[in-house]
């Protein structure tokens, strides 16, 4: 117990990353954090949201099928199909709002441009 309290006291906490051979989470330019956030937002934008939109479209089509075809004379099936179409439409609206918020965050934080600014230019033969 005394050894643990000795390690936790004073400036010895500053040496813990070196003892664990840990890498710094942020480099001086902050590019590690920017790359991570950019990768997460790109994954959300290019994979998750289109997949959710596809699922919402399938639910809407299933609701139309239940309303028009399966529920031709069955009022319960018509109500079920109508409910599915309403929920799918609400889902589309929420997905598009979420997509807009993600795009707003990426553009307002400058993570949408993948270009590195203020880089030195090397001209061969100069």
């Amino acid at each position: 117990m005394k050894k643990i309290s000795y390690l936790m006291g004073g400036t010895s906490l500053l040496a813990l990353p070196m003892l664990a051979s840990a890498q710094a989470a942020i480099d001086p330019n902050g590019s590690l954090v920017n790359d991570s956030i950019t990768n997460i937002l790109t994954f959300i934008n290019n994979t998750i949201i289109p997949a959710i939109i596809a699922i919402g479209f399938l639910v809407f089509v299933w609701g139309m099928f239940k309303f028009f075809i399966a529920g031709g004379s069955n009022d319960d099936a018509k109500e079920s199909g109508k409910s599915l179409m309403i929920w799918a439409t609400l889902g589309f609206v929420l997905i598009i709002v979420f997509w807009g918020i993600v795009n707003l965050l990426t553009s307002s934080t400058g993570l949408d441009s993948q270009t590195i600014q203020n880089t030195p230019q090397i001209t061969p033969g100069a």
Side-chain angles (χ1 to χ4, degrees), residues 18-116:
M18 287 184 277
L19 291 173
S21 299
Q23 183 178 356
I26 303 173
D27 66 347
N29 297 328
S31 65
L32 247 149
V33 173
N34 284 344
D35 290 344
S36 299
I37 293 173
T38 302
N39 289 339
I40 290 169
L41 293 175
T42 301
F43 179 72
I44 289 171
N45 242 353
N46 295 338
T47 306
I48 293 178
I49 292 183
I52 293 173
I53 288 176
I55 291 170
F57 178 73
L58 291 174
V59 170
F60 186 82
V61 169
W62 180 250
M64 283 184 11
F65 174 79
K66 285 182 80 173
F67 185 78
F68 289 112
I69 297 173
S73 62
N74 188 356
D75 289 336
D76 291 336
K78 277 189 175 183
E79 283 299 316
S80 174
K82 183 177 168 183
S83 171
L84 277 175
M85 288 190 292
I86 290 172
W87 282 107
T89 305
L90 181 66
F92 280 133
V93 170
L94 291 176
I95 291 165
I96 291 171
V97 166
F98 181 68
W99 203 348
I101 290 171
V102 168
N103 285 327
L104 180 69
L105 287 174
T106 48
S107 64
S108 66
T109 57
L111 295 172
D112 58 346
S113 62
Q114 295 293 325
T115 59
I116 301 172

